[in-house]
Amino acid sequence: MKIILTQEVSGLGAPGDIVEVKSGYGRNYLLPQGFAIAWTKGAEKQVTVIKRARGAREIRDLDHANEVKAQLEGLKVNLKVRAGDGGRLFGSVTPAEIVDAVKAASGPVLDRRRLEVPGHIKSTGTYPVKIKLHPEVTAAFNLNVVQG
C-alpha cells in the first residue's frame, strides 16, 4: 500500500515522504491516527505543501543543528510539578511539558514529537532526554523534575 506521511513516524519517514507499507499497517494504524493519507495523484500534489511547511519549522542545516545542540547541552532545565509524599507525581511528565520547560529556561523552541524520553517520568529526579534535531545530530540534556 502506497501512502504519504503527514507526520514523522519513527523508522518510516518524515512528513511528505511517499512510502510503501503493508496494507494492514496503513489501513489500521497510520490512516486512522492521521499519520498518513492514501496516495493518489492529487494527494501527491499536497506533498509539496507539506514539505514547504516542514521546511519552515525544521532545523535549517547541519551547522544550525550543531548550534542548537550546543545551546541545549549547556542548558539547565527544571520542571516544577505537583508531587505527593516520596516525590511521586500526580500523573506523569509529557513531552509538551518538557518543551515548555526548555523554552522557559531560555532554550530553543523544539518539536515535541522529536523528543526521546526514557519511559514514563512519574517521580522527581533527574532524567536524560534526547532530541533528534537533524538526521545526523542528536542532542542530549538533563531534565530536573522538582516538586513545586
Side-chain angles (χ1 to χ4, degrees):
M1 172 181 211
K2 225 175 183 184
I3 59 169
I4 300 171
L5 296 175
T6 56
Q7 294 182 15
E8 183 168 342
V9 178
S10 295
L12 201 55
D17 290 350
I18 299 171
V19 293
E20 185 77 29
V21 296
K22 299 257 181 171
S23 296
Y25 182 53
R27 185 177 56 248
N28 297 326
Y29 178 69
L30 296 174
L31 295 175
Q33 294 291 328
F35 295 143
I37 56 175
W39 179 87
T40 62
K41 287 185 180 180
E44 193 166 1
K45 292 178 184 176
Q46 289 180 315
V47 170
T48 57
V49 175
I50 293 170
K51 286 189 177 185
R52 194 175 314 130
R54 178 177 66 179
R57 72 170 182 270
E58 193 172 274
I59 302 295
R60 289 187 294 276
D61 56 6
L62 188 61
D63 292 334
H64 185 237
N66 285 326
E67 288 175 21
V68 172
K69 178 181 178 182
Q71 185 181 4
L72 273 174
E73 290 179 344
L75 209 59
K76 291 195 181 287
V77 182
N78 291 320
L79 179 61
K80 291 186 179 183
V81 294
R82 290 185 47 213
D85 294 335
R88 187 155 169 80
L89 304 185
F90 299 122
S92 62
V93 176
T94 64
E97 291 174 327
I98 296 171
V99 168
D100 291 340
V102 169
K103 195 168 28 173
S106 68
V109 177
L110 302 174
D111 185 4
R112 66 177 168 77
R113 293 179 297 253
R114 294 179 178 259
L115 282 177
E116 295 175 14
V117 182
H120 297 285
I121 299 176
K122 293 189 174 216
S123 62
T124 57
T126 303
Y127 297 90
V129 177
K130 292 181 182 177
I131 182 161
K132 192 167 186 169
L133 298 170
H134 189 268
E136 301 171 16
V137 179
T138 301
F141 61 92
N142 287 325
L143 174 68
N144 191 19
V145 179
V146 295
Q147 186 171 356

